[in-house]
Amino acid sequence: EVAASGDPRAFFAELEDDMWSGCAAIGPVERAKVFPADPDCCCAVRFVAPSKAAECVRTMDGRFFNGHAIFAAHWDGNLRR
């Protein structure tokens, strides 16, 4: 999908916006970040309240976005896959 978009920067910026707005429906978001260099197109979202992060994991894990299943989990910033 990135290649088909014609503008990778715009693609990832729109993805960040989509992540932010989707997660903001759960609770106030402090930050949303997409990691474009990751082949799995990982994203990280930081909520103001930790309880909202837990709710986001329960809500988003297993959902589909643009035809792809979302894997949602808590991340300590150091997790290596």
Side-chain angles (χ1 to χ4, degrees):
E1 290 115 32
V2 177
S5 75
D7 184 356
R9 283 186 156 177
F11 175 86
F12 289 116
E14 184 176 347
L15 181 57
E16 277 185 2
D17 288 345
D18 288 348
M19 289 297 300
W20 185 292
S21 61
C23 292
I26 295 168
V29 173
E30 194 172 288
R31 181 174 182 233
K33 174 74 178 148
V34 174
F35 300 97
D38 189 302
D40 292 327
C41 196
C42 290
C43 305
V45 178
R46 178 179 291 193
F47 287 87
V48 173
S51 63
K52 294 302 178 182
E55 184 179 339
C56 181
V57 169
R58 286 190 306 272
T59 302
M60 295 294 186
D61 192 43
R63 290 179 89 182
F64 281 82
F65 178 79
N66 205 22
H68 300 279
I70 296 172
F71 168 74
H74 291 280
W75 180 49
D76 64 4
N78 295 310
L79 182 68
R80 296 279 183 209
R81 289 180 279 123

